[in-house]
Amino acid sequence: MACRHCAVEHAAGTSCPGSFSRAASLEGQRHGPLLLRSVVGSGTLGTVYLAEHPPSGHRFAVKVLHPHLASRPLVRSRFLAEARALRGLVHRNVARVLDARRGPGGLPCLLMEYAEGERFSQLPVPLPAAEVVELLDQALDALEAAHARGLVHGDVSADNLVLGWDARGWRRVKLLDFGANAVLSASLSEEERACGMVVGSPAFIAPEQWAGEAVDGRADLYALGVVGYLLATGRLPFGFGRVGTLAAAPPHQLEPRVPEALSRVLLRALAQRPEERFASAREFREALGAVPGTSTSPRRTRTSKGTLSLFGQVVPEDGATPLHVALLDAAHGREEAGPPVSGPRVAAPEGLGVRLGLGRDAELVRVTVGDVTVDGFFAHWVGPLPPLAAQVPVELSFQGSVVACDCDVVRHVTVEEARAWEGASGLCVQFASEAARRLLGQALGVQGVPRGGPDAEPVPDGELARLLARAAVVMKDPYALLGASRGEDFEGVRRRVSATLRRLSAFGQRRLPTGQRRALEVLRRQVELAGRTLGEPLARVGFDAVRGNLAGVSRCVEAGLTDERVEPLRKAFLEARPLAESRARALFTQGHALEVGHSLEEALTRYAEALALDPLNTSWLRHYQDLRARTRAVSVALDPVEAPTASF
């Protein structure tokens, strides 16, 4: 069997030269102004590191080509050629390739956008149809942009699609590893090709790829069809190997929640002959958009059934959580005053002069700078910004000393971001030149350990600051904190808690100031408490009864909570409300009379009023459920019910 690291079979007892070894790790080494913090993963082509710009905390991904591949001129040149082609692919759903240059040990490195989030292969599948459509829609948006530039991915799989969040709290899909398939294909010898060896993730490779034929964008659409099938059913259509000639089972037969229309769309994407599939990513997207009960939008994560919350779950449109609403308000400029997100606004040392190569043909122009450390500074600039990771010339002057060198662009501050910060637009740069660092240290009066170095207190994380501010609004409401509906089932609660904790854990991996780290820990404990409150029937039933949430009480009863266990809670509940029981009984009696007289809608209203006063009366609740099911032909699990005296 071919090695999973380099796609080549090795003799028994020999190790793969491309497999990752902790001893060979580049962790702790520098790549220009960036520090390689940790290994994100190691694959067939290279090892990917999380790289950080220490003064600002800005993070990148750096892919280092495996040494055994870097030693092959054809592979090395193809690696750099693909990087040049991909720098022009700029799309919100593609993890950008920013630069390619020599890295530690002289190995070719790709500097890329760091896409934080969960890989599709780690999502708790199967997902609701609306979510499947939304995620595929964003991935297809990325493929449409790439195919328009003549770029074919060639290895779309559930492992190189990541689901994360953008700065506004919207869910954002990122497609990774464009160009990797072409580089690896260049590494195959003629003998390996003659033996039928191909590059890619076996479960996602299109039939024409297995046959060694020329492929186009329709191979990517096939692979995304496999991804959609997995998201919708929790299974791969053909297992982990080659397709063969068997047709995939219709998804709606494996998972009843899948609409037949969505099932037909996925099966067309999985057609063995390319001409029988969708002709383009746009056509695939349009077919998904026509599936009843779902709606797609590449920019907004909404479905016709509900709104996707901060932590990726669906809540009813009329029950959107305060946290979700607050995030929407912030995205549209309706945000209430909260903790400010500080922008670059610390004045430069008096007497420091700076000229940057930002003019035409890198002409040096004088700029206003701030947030100066011995490692770099923020430069105000209203014109076009040079690409991230680009090198620009700089001239520094202070008290008669002049230093000229190059600096790396490590961050952009756009006009929109500057407006939100009430600050200035521009760019952050960092130096590798010791002469520049010494001059800046002289201007700052810094001795010993440079300010802004790895041991300095990091700057507040803007994304986390927004999350903490919004979470504070709903901290005491476990439903709102988890983005759960009032009638959420217990499995759904557990999944939400797990997803939320994973999201918070990702923040915990960042360099955070002490105050934010403490606030993050408080939020984590609140999420765990919310999980305990809503995840155990006896704890939840009392919580929901006090808050008049009939749907939640119903869930607890459905979960097997017996009358004997509920009755002590009911007794305590009614003792605290001396007149409630008699009023509730009178209302229930009226409801029974109306039911006998076949005025069923009015009877339901009286029953709901009675249960608002005595929500732990399980016999009444079951009767109400049964009548509601018979008259309205809805699920036994209640949606929130509105009554004149309470809102459930």
Side-chain angles (χ1 to χ4, degrees):
M1 180 178 293
C3 171
R4 66 185 182 92
H5 291 289
C6 68
V8 176
E9 292 187 10
H10 305 297
T14 62
S15 61
C16 170
S19 60
F20 178 74
S21 166
R22 181 60 59 183
S25 172
L26 301 176
E27 291 174 318
Q29 296 195 38
R30 284 193 172 271
H31 179 49
L34 305 177
L35 182 65
L36 302 184
R37 288 286 185 188
S38 59
V39 175
V40 176
S42 184
T44 317
L45 186 61
T47 301
V48 179
Y49 294 86
L50 171 61
E52 184 182 70
H53 174 227
S56 68
H58 198 71
R59 302 195 296 175
F60 299 88
V62 173
K63 177 181 284 187
V64 183
L65 190 63
H66 286 316
H68 76 284
L69 294 176
S71 65
R72 301 167 65 173
L74 178 60
V75 177
R76 190 183 186 105
S77 62
R78 188 60 183 267
F79 182 82
L80 297 175
E82 288 293 325
R84 287 192 293 271
L86 292 169
R87 285 188 64 171
L89 178 57
V90 180
H91 191 275
R92 60 185 172 273
N93 296 118
V94 175
R96 287 189 60 191
V97 172
L98 303 168
D99 192 26
R101 64 173 74 170
R102 287 165 56 90
L107 296 172
C109 293
L110 283 187
L111 180 63
M112 304 178 295
E113 173 189 358
Y114 177 60
E116 184 176 11
E118 287 187 280
R119 295 182 185 270
F120 279 23
S121 57
Q122 298 172 333
L123 295 177
V125 293
L127 300 177
E131 287 193 77
V132 174
V133 170
E134 178 228 335
L135 300 186
L136 291 182
D137 178 78
Q138 293 194 42
L140 284 165
D141 201 14
L143 289 177
E144 184 177 347
H147 293 170
R149 298 181 63 89
L151 299 171
V152 176
H153 191 290
D155 190 20
V156 175
S157 73
D159 279 322
N160 53 36
L161 283 160
V162 171
L163 177 60
W165 291 260
D166 64 16
R168 300 176 301 166
W170 293 112
R171 298 211 302 178
R172 177 61 52 83
V173 171
K174 289 283 187 180
L175 180 56
L176 315 180
D177 283 344
F178 259 103
N181 184 270
V183 178
L184 289 169
S185 295
S187 72
L188 295 179
S189 67
E190 291 300 325
E191 292 78 8
E192 290 165 343
R193 295 179 191 277
C195 291
M197 186 174 292
V198 295
V199 173
S201 304
F204 300 85
I205 293 179
E208 61 270 27
Q209 284 178 275
W210 280 114
E213 301 171 0
V215 299
D216 56 23
R218 291 172 295 184
D220 288 343
L221 304 187
Y222 174 93
L224 202 58
V226 177
V227 172
Y229 195 102
L230 174 64
L231 296 179
T233 67
R235 312 181 194 183
L236 290 166
F238 305 107
F240 290 94
R242 192 165 179 165
V243 174
T245 58
L246 296 177
H252 67 275
Q253 293 182 5
L254 302 177
E255 175 53 56
R257 294 187 301 171
V258 177
E260 287 193 37
L262 176 57
S263 191
R264 288 192 295 270
V265 171
L266 295 176
L267 290 178
R268 181 176 174 187
L270 292 172
Q272 292 204 18
R273 296 165 56 88
E275 58 270 22
E276 295 175 355
R277 301 174 204 145
F278 298 104
S280 66
R282 178 180 291 274
E283 186 178 334
F284 194 166
R285 290 181 67 202
E286 290 173 350
L288 286 172
V291 174
T294 64
S295 64
T296 60
S297 169
R299 298 182 184 273
R300 303 181 65 191
T301 53
R302 288 183 178 273
T303 73
S304 62
K305 294 183 179 180
T307 303
L308 294 167
S309 76
L310 174 68
F311 298 114
Q313 306 294 341
V314 178
V315 294
E317 195 71 54
D318 59 354
T321 69
L323 176 56
H324 183 78
V325 172
L327 284 165
L328 291 180
D329 288 345
H332 296 285
R334 303 190 297 268
E335 183 176 11
E336 297 179 1
V341 181
S342 58
R345 58 183 64 187
V346 179
E350 186 176 352
L352 177 66
V354 180
R355 295 201 303 158
L356 270 178
L358 299 175
R360 184 174 299 178
D361 298 326
E363 175 190 0
L364 291 173
V365 294
R366 188 166 294 279
V367 293
T368 301
V369 300
D371 282 2
V372 179
T373 73
V374 294
D375 293 305
F377 51 74
F378 166 78
H380 173 48
W381 184 248
V382 295
L385 297 174
L388 284 171
Q391 290 187 322
V392 296
V394 61
E395 180 187 271
L396 307 173
S397 59
F398 181 72
Q399 294 181 350
S401 298
V402 178
V403 172
C405 62
D406 288 333
C407 58
D408 289 279
V409 178
V410 296
R411 187 179 177 191
H412 288 166
V413 178
T414 64
V415 173
E416 292 77 14
E417 188 177 3
R419 187 180 300 119
W421 284 355
E422 298 180 358
S425 61
L427 65 160
C428 295
V429 301
Q430 185 171 348
F431 301 98
S433 166
E434 288 301 322
R437 291 163 62 88
R438 284 195 298 269
L439 187 142
L440 289 174
Q442 181 184 353
L444 292 164
V446 176
Q447 302 295 328
V449 179
R451 282 168 48 188
D455 296 328
E457 175 81 350
V459 297
D461 185 287
E463 183 183 0
L464 178 57
R466 289 189 292 273
L467 175 62
L468 292 172
R470 301 308 150 213
V473 178
V474 296
M475 190 74 82
K476 296 182 180 180
D477 183 348
Y479 284 102
L481 190 62
L482 299 177
S485 67
R486 301 295 167 176
E488 190 78 38
D489 61 34
F490 288 92
E491 178 60 28
V493 169
R494 285 189 287 271
R495 289 173 58 180
R496 291 175 190 276
V497 171
S498 178
T500 303
L501 291 176
R502 284 197 300 272
R503 173 65 171 149
L504 297 182
S505 177
F507 278 111
Q509 301 303 312
R510 302 182 182 182
R511 291 187 71 236
L512 301 173
T514 303
Q516 278 197 327
R517 192 164 293 283
R518 288 173 179 167
L520 181 63
E521 178 61 22
V522 170
L523 179 55
R524 186 189 65 79
R525 289 198 297 267
Q526 284 297 122
V527 170
E528 291 176 342
L529 177 60
R532 291 193 295 271
T533 300
L534 302 184
E536 201 283 320
L538 192 60
R540 181 174 172 182
V541 74
F543 178 88
D544 284 330
V546 171
R547 285 153 184 80
N549 179 18
L550 185 59
V553 174
S554 175
R555 280 295 186 192
C556 297
V557 173
E558 290 174 1
L561 198 60
T562 63
D563 294 356
E564 291 75 14
R565 298 189 72 189
V566 173
E567 191 56 33
L569 295 177
R570 176 173 178 255
K571 182 178 179 181
F573 182 92
L574 294 175
E575 285 177 351
R577 299 161 179 79
L579 301 178
E581 185 174 14
S582 58
R583 291 176 179 173
R585 189 168 298 281
L587 288 167
F588 196 87
T589 300
Q590 293 174 20
H592 183 69
L594 289 166
E595 181 182 352
V596 171
H598 302 290
S599 299
L600 301 185
E601 291 297 332
E602 294 182 32
L604 284 170
T605 300
R606 293 295 180 273
Y607 288 154
E609 292 173 349
L611 285 166
L613 297 171
D614 189 0
L616 295 174
N617 192 320
T618 54
S619 62
W620 288 3
L621 182 60
R622 293 190 186 96
H623 183 83
Y624 174 76
Q625 286 179 300
D626 180 65
L627 179 61
R628 186 174 159 88
R630 285 187 283 112
T631 56
R632 299 188 182 183
V634 296
S635 172
V636 174
L638 295 176
D639 294 322
V641 180
E642 290 190 358
T645 56
S647 177
F648 301 111

